[in-house]
Amino acid sequence: MRKSFLRARRGGVAFGVLAFGLAAFSSIAIGQAAATLPHRVDAFHGLKNRPEGGAGTNILLLGTDSRATISRAEKEKFHAGGVACNCSDSMMVIHLSQKHDRVSVVSLPRDSYAEIPEYAPDGSVAGRHPAKINAAYAEGGPVLAVQTVEEMTGLRIDHFLQVDFRRFIDSVNAVDGVTVCTARKLSDSATKLDLKPGRHRLSGGPALQYVRSRHVDTSADLGRIQRQQRFLVNALRGSGVRKAMADPVRAAKLARTVLGSASVDQGFTAGDLVSLTKDLSRIPLSKTEFGTVPIGGFNPLIENVGSTLRWDQGKAEQVFSALKADRALTKANSRTEPLDPPRLAVQTFVRGDRLVCG
């Protein structure tokens, strides 16, 4: 029998698993999907002076703001128009423990201050310039995004995955939507999200509005990050995913949907994804933890960059040192509840069972 991908080698990609709960493909699904899934892409080509690896596996999940793959009608219906900067719209570091018994997710706000490397003709680093962290992908694609995150966190990134609007919408629809819940009204002037208090079953387009909204209250991107994390938890435990996984043909179709067109490179194979999903499907919500890198406040305005968030370096180093040492970020039996809305001065890590709809 094939060994677990993550036991046999360092690596793995977790967005499809965390976002849509792709748990336990059958061997039939593997055979049907393998011929159409994209080939491995090296998002680490040419990287030098990288951090030393620690225990466990680190995955960089990056959601782009590309609208190129959705139709004009969808842009209008789901208020996803505007000019894309081809930046990363969301960024998370996902750590899977060495024993495969815990998952830690640390979101990196898109407006975080970063010093992005610039390259000389010979490929060496010629200098750095100030920018928001989401500009790294726009300037240098996956390689520069990985390098920037590695330099800022001190973590060695083992795998990279990017997801665009099309893949997100189609994947949510493939599992018949995802349930979200809110204790207060959520209304956003930009995305036109309008949810009353209670539980809501969202199809792909409305789900995109939900995870993109950042004008619901004064928490801005921090509030959006929390909603994204809530969405991930509820998608992972959703009934639609369980039904999809019970049907090998539907499971294979869902795999192709999550990974996207064969013309788009993603950093793993069908077999890799299957082994990873089996590992992650065994981890209970009480052993998953979510949070945002600790923020110290806002930096002074920077010309041609704008307002940026300053990480609390001391607390951030504690977070990333814990991940490198393969330690949990939340205390055992923690009952910490997420702040709603979150506050800039208080960043806490919470267990997945505190984010799931009751």
Side-chain angles (χ1 to χ4, degrees):
M1 183 177 292
R2 184 180 184 271
K3 291 183 179 180
S4 163
F5 171 57
L6 289 174
R7 290 185 175 88
R9 54 183 290 184
R10 290 181 59 81
V13 182
F15 182 78
V17 181
L18 289 171
F20 309 113
L22 298 181
F25 282 115
S26 69
S27 59
I28 298 176
I30 297 174
Q32 291 174 321
T36 58
L37 294 183
H39 297 293
R40 183 171 302 280
V41 60
D42 184 5
F44 309 94
H45 178 71
L47 291 181
K48 301 176 182 178
N49 301 316
R50 302 183 64 196
E52 292 184 1
T57 301
N58 296 315
I59 303 148
L60 178 60
L61 163 65
L62 187 147
T64 72
D65 71 344
S66 174
R67 283 100 162 136
T69 53
I70 61 174
S71 68
R72 177 179 296 181
E74 288 173 315
K75 293 177 185 177
E76 293 177 354
K77 183 176 181 180
F78 304 124
H79 302 277
V83 178
C85 67
N86 292 317
C87 302
S88 54
D89 209 36
S90 61
M91 187 178 289
M92 300 179 184
V93 173
I94 301 168
H95 176 82
L96 177 62
S97 67
Q98 187 173 35
K99 293 182 179 180
H100 311 149
D101 60 354
R102 185 181 65 256
V103 174
S104 305
V105 179
V106 182
S107 291
L108 311 179
R110 53 180 271 177
D111 292 337
S112 298
Y113 175 83
E115 294 185 354
I116 297 180
E118 298 173 340
Y119 293 95
D122 63 357
S124 63
V125 176
R128 288 174 170 76
H129 64 275
K132 296 179 180 180
I133 195 172
N134 69 340
Y137 179 81
E139 295 181 18
V143 174
L144 190 56
V146 168
Q147 181 175 8
T148 301
V149 170
E150 287 191 338
E151 289 187 354
M152 293 180 68
T153 65
L155 296 174
R156 187 180 182 92
I157 300 299
D158 300 304
H159 271 274
F160 169 88
L161 175 65
Q162 70 182 63
V163 177
D164 61 19
F165 287 4
R166 172 83 282 140
R167 223 160 17 258
F168 181 87
I169 290 174
D170 290 349
S171 298
V172 174
N173 286 337
V175 295
D176 300 322
V178 172
T179 297
V180 299
C181 51
T182 177
R184 58 192 176 92
K185 180 179 175 62
L186 299 179
S187 180
D188 187 281
S189 58
T191 66
K192 305 303 179 184
L193 176 74
D194 187 19
L195 294 182
K196 297 179 181 179
R199 296 168 62 93
H200 305 270
R201 186 79 176 177
L202 303 181
S203 59
L208 182 66
Q209 291 172 278
Y210 177 83
V211 298
R212 290 187 61 233
S213 292
R214 62 197 303 258
H215 301 287
V216 169
D217 49 45
T218 58
S219 64
D221 203 36
L222 295 179
R224 183 176 71 159
I225 285 171
Q226 185 182 100
R227 285 185 289 278
Q228 290 171 348
Q229 293 173 348
R230 287 183 182 276
F231 186 89
L232 293 178
V233 170
N234 285 287
L236 181 62
R237 291 298 186 263
S239 61
V241 169
R242 294 195 298 270
K243 292 178 181 177
M245 291 304 100
D247 181 347
V249 175
R250 190 178 176 191
K253 181 179 179 181
L254 179 56
R256 293 193 295 269
T257 300
V258 171
L259 297 179
S261 168
S263 65
V264 179
D265 284 333
Q266 296 293 307
F268 54 94
T269 67
D272 296 342
L273 179 58
V274 171
S275 291
L276 177 62
T277 56
K278 288 180 178 179
D279 282 335
L280 290 178
S281 67
R282 301 186 182 101
I283 301 176
L285 282 177
S286 61
K287 294 295 185 179
T288 64
E289 48 190 6
F290 296 79
T292 303
V293 60
I295 302 297
F298 289 94
N299 292 306
L301 288 176
I302 302 174
E303 187 176 0
N304 298 323
V305 176
S307 178
T308 57
L309 289 172
R310 181 181 71 255
W311 290 5
D312 184 319
Q313 288 300 327
K315 292 180 179 179
E317 287 177 7
Q318 291 178 9
V319 167
F320 297 125
S321 294
L323 294 186
K324 194 165 188 175
D326 204 25
R327 298 196 306 268
L329 300 174
T330 55
K331 296 180 180 179
N333 301 319
S334 171
R335 294 186 177 276
T336 301
E337 295 288 342
L339 295 175
D340 187 18
R343 295 198 299 270
L344 184 65
V346 183
Q347 289 93 44
T348 57
F349 285 82
V350 299
R351 299 186 331 194
D353 55 358
R354 299 294 169 180
L355 294 172
V356 71
C357 285

